Amino acid sequence: MSNYTHRERMEKCLAGESADRPPVALWRHFPVDDQKPDSLAAAISNFQNIYDFDFIKVTPTSSYCIKDWGVKDVWRGDPEGTRDYEQPVIKEVDDWKKLNILNPRSGKLGEMLECLRLIIKGHAKTTPVIQTIFSPLSQAKNLVGKEQLLYHLRAYPEAVKTGLEIITQTTLAFVEELRKIGVDGIFYAVQHAQYHILSPEEFNTFGSYYDMQILESAKSFWLNVGHIHGENIMFEQVVNYPVHILNWHDRQTSPSLGEAQKQFDGVVCGGLRQWDTMLLGTPDAVIREARDAIDQTAGKRFVLGTGCVIPITAPHGNILAARRAVES
């Protein structure tokens, strides 16, 4: 048995030191359960109690932060556990200016804080808890729709910036509440740092300008994870973000874990393919891929994980194999 708590192991990892083993953390959505604070807290706690990961990444539905602006979403059985958005809230360009700064202690944001309090109460002494924060541009996409966002930001950039400013102020207020309840960090999800979606200039203007405001405000947390979603990623645009850990789909898009460690001073997180290996592979395949990731990084400044959420249908044996792969 190890003498390290999960918290102590993560502290060692962030310091670039070896503990008894590399840390490991996987996370997933909990559809249906994610509609109420107590049921989501129970589902996440149960998942942690089974697999004993080194940090708890709280994964609510992506609508939690925009629901109070009137968004409607529905569960239709997506294997990632995500919900489909119904009608957009932003229908006309002027609708961006009609958004108001939300009260982080009421509505769905207030419910999210309630969920986090329950999880922290059960786990925080030994295991860090981090909350998912979607970038303002990601939130904007879900308010207006994926295709319409690109049209709006190119045709009506000032209107979109007005909306992004309101979203940013709301997110900053929510991060302040996270600090008060004792969260250890944020999992900051960036979805548009992809060359086939935006140009680097567009990403700087509509993405990182707002990202940096939120990440600056989160600097007092000790365990912030930056997540770069998708393929053909702008790694060099995000590598300087003030986060402790970077996570991306390292098996699908460059750089590899080993290459990234030459560019990023912090900890890299990844190594496992969420679909081919965690869902469709075998426990042996999971262990092989995990060991390759440990070899790439020499097991230092590294957390074993996937590039994104594991599918909700990923077999128990494969999740267990990922957890056990770091033990040897």
Side-chain angles (χ1 to χ4, degrees), residues 54-212:
D54 287 299
F55 62 81
I56 297 170
K57 189 271 204 191
V58 176
T59 305
T61 173
S62 62
S63 61
Y64 87 88
C65 46
I66 57 173
K67 202 92 173 188
D68 296 327
W69 281 310
V71 155
K72 289 186 170 52
D73 58 348
V74 62
W75 165 238
R76 291 202 177 102
D78 185 281
E80 271 196 2
T82 52
R83 295 167 69 84
D84 292 338
Y85 284 90
E86 304 276 65
Q87 255 186 324
V89 166
I90 307 290
K91 297 185 179 75
E92 310 287 339
V93 175
D94 286 346
D95 291 343
W96 290 110
K97 296 169 189 168
K98 294 175 186 169
L99 295 175
N100 58 310
I101 296 173
L102 299 174
N103 178 352
R105 293 183 297 278
S106 70
K108 285 290 170 190
L109 290 174
E111 286 185 11
M112 189 71 249
L113 294 173
E114 190 185 328
C115 171
L116 286 162
R117 282 189 201 96
L118 291 168
I119 295 168
I120 288 166
K121 188 177 173 187
H123 298 277
K125 282 190 179 129
T126 59
T127 309
V129 177
I130 67 173
Q131 166 64 10
T132 304
I133 297 287
F134 293 94
S135 73
L137 195 55
S138 302
Q139 295 182 50
K141 173 199 72 176
N142 292 329
L143 286 167
V144 71
K146 194 187 290 187
E147 307 304 326
Q148 284 295 96
L149 175 67
L150 300 182
Y151 166 59
H152 276 216
L153 70 78
R154 286 165 185 157
Y156 310 105
E158 294 310 314
V160 175
K161 285 179 189 173
T162 300
L164 287 170
E165 191 57 46
I166 294 162
I167 295 167
T168 300
Q169 292 307 314
T170 294
T171 307
L172 287 168
F174 183 67
V175 169
E176 186 53 41
E177 295 303 317
L178 295 181
R179 208 184 326 276
K180 291 176 189 170
I181 66 170
V183 165
D184 293 284
I186 63 172
F187 181 95
Y188 192 77
V190 174
Q191 297 178 336
H192 292 84
Q194 301 180 68
Y195 285 107
H196 59 282
I197 298 178
L198 297 178
S199 70
E201 294 73 27
E202 286 172 329
F203 179 71
N204 279 335
T205 302
F206 298 98
S208 52
Y209 174 76
Y210 302 97
D211 295 341
M212 291 302 280

Side-chain angles (χ1 to χ4, degrees), residues 259-279:
E259 289 164 352
Q261 282 192 328
K262 294 171 190 162
Q263 301 173 57
F264 180 57
D265 291 336
V267 171
V268 296
C269 173
L272 296 170
R273 291 177 297 174
Q274 65 192 109
W275 298 102
D276 295 355
T277 308
M278 292 307 302
L279 177 64

